[in-house]
Every structure is written in C-alpha cells, then in structure tokens.
Amino acid sequence: MTPMDFQSWSDAVLARVESALSDWVPASAPAGLGEAMRYGVLDGGKRLRALLVQAAAEATGAGEDVIGAEAALRAAAAVELIHAYSLVHDDMPCMDNDVLRRGKPTVHVQFGEATALLAGDALQALAFELLTPEGDAVPPAMQADLCRLLACAAGAHGMAGGQAIDLASVGKPLAEPELRAMHRLKTGALLQGSVRMGAACASDVPTAARKALDNYGAAIGLAFQVVDDILDVTADSAALGKTAGKDAAADKPTYVSLLGLAASQALADELRAQAHGALDASGLRDVSRLRALADLVVNRKN
C-alpha cells in the first residue's frame, strides 16, 4: 500500500467515523451535558483506535457484508467514546490535573469538574448503547462479543487497572517488566481491544489469525506508549496538543526515565518489527492497512 493509498483510506474511514459520532453523541442531553460530551469527543484526536477497528475488520473480511460493515462502524465509534471518556476523567484534578487536550482546554476547565465527570460517565454508557442497537443491524451474539471485548479492555484488568497502577507509581522506581505491565493495561489494552473488536465483526476467523492479530495489537499497544514517553520529552505542547513534559514534572516512571531516549526509540522500532512479524504470520489476505498503522504509531510526531 502506498502512502497515498493509505491516506485516502484513512481519510475515508475518519470521515465516516466523525459523521457517525456527530450523529450519535446527543446535543440534546440535559443541562449542558450534551455540549460537554460533544466537546470531549468531536473534532479532535488521531482516531487511531477507530482506524484499527476498521483495518482489522477489513483484513478479516468483515467489511464485505452489510452486517460486518455496520458492526465495524459501531465498534469504531464505541472505542473512540471509551477513549474520550478516559481522557476527560484522566485530565481532572483528582487524576492528572491537566488543562490542555487536543489543542484546547480540557473538559473540566471548559465546563467545570462536575459536568466533566458526568460527561465521561455518559460517553462510557453511550459506547455500549451503540454496540447494542435494536433490530437486526448487528446479530445478538456479535453484540455480546463486542461488549465483552470493550468492557475487558476498559475495565479493572485493562485501561482502568493500568491507570490505577500509574497513579500508585508516582515517585516510585519501576523495573522495566513492571513498567511494561502497567502500560499494557493503561494504554495497550484498548488498542489491542480495538483490533480484537474489528476481527469480531467477521465470522469464521481462523484461530491462528486471531492469535496473530492479538500479538500485533499487543506490540503496537506498547509501542504507542513508548513513543508517547519519547514525545513527552522531545516535542512541545503545541505539537502534542497537550501539556509536554508533564510526566517528568509529576515524577512518573516512563520508558525514557528508565531506559534513556536512544534505548526507548530502539524498543519502539523493535515492537514495530514484532507487529509486522505477527501480520506476516497471520495468514490473512491483506494486512497492508494494519502494517501502515504500525508504522504510523512509531513514526508519529504527536
């Protein structure tokens, strides 16, 4: 796949997902809640998780029928809602206490802490509502599978558990295996879950292919956080769209603080190679979009 082909595909997916989110996130929610929800999720972010859902769905053949395509769009929107809710809550004073996200004031700065808390709660609930539409658009068994995968990725043994470890680790030295375990939950679980959800929109995916996609998702999930740690010390706030240097200021353990800059970059490159190797072993017909997304994760500048 050429860079131009990938860009064209990515632009088309992002346009569909952004339109769906705009339709599905209700401006009509009471007392300004809808405005805060839309502010927190629309018109910003890389939408990497949505792209992973769609690329995995296409690689496994889910995009070739109406049901698979509908399920993949809903899964892509749902995982972005979960990601957005996590950012709204993570930015609050009781967590990371950040004032800048996606180049604009964070939700609690713009709307107040109570509304931000409720907006995050509502975005999380809406994610599961989207995965369980009435009628025959998505089969009940597929609905249940997608809900289970998203809940596992977001819950105590996924993103929320990783964030709890992160908060408990401030000012404490962590060995590399401990840091890796934390980031596989905090960041990696939702990225890996996005790949799993895309594959779950297809039927009859071979076990070997699912295992290969799991390995791919694990590799890019950790790579994303390693690169995040690198960018936190090498990029400025304008480029990142969020506060640069905040991990060091908060005395949080990172890959750069543990391994150094050069070794962290080498690890990111190694994880990309692992992701490519997993795709090579998948036996799937066309993994070019997933391969390009692994490159995007490691080469990104924000």
Side-chain angles (χ1 to χ4, degrees), residues 145-239:
D145 198 18
L146 289 170
C147 285
R148 178 183 60 82
L149 290 170
L150 187 56
C152 288
H157 297 290
M159 180 181 68
Q163 179 70 359
I165 297 171
D166 188 29
L167 291 171
S169 300
V170 173
K172 297 180 181 178
L174 293 182
E176 197 279 333
E178 296 171 312
L179 189 63
R180 180 177 294 243
M182 177 180 77
H183 287 320
R184 283 204 183 281
L185 299 182
K186 180 186 174 186
T187 304
L190 197 57
L191 290 165
Q192 186 181 43
S194 300
V195 178
R196 287 173 171 169
M197 290 174 72
C201 296
S203 57
D204 300 325
V205 180
T207 300
R210 289 188 184 275
K211 177 62 175 174
L213 289 175
D214 257 10
N215 292 338
Y216 165 86
I220 64 163
L222 185 57
F224 185 93
Q225 185 59 53
V226 174
V227 173
D228 231 33
D229 288 353
I230 292 170
L231 292 175
D232 192 61
V233 299
T234 60
D236 59 25
S237 297

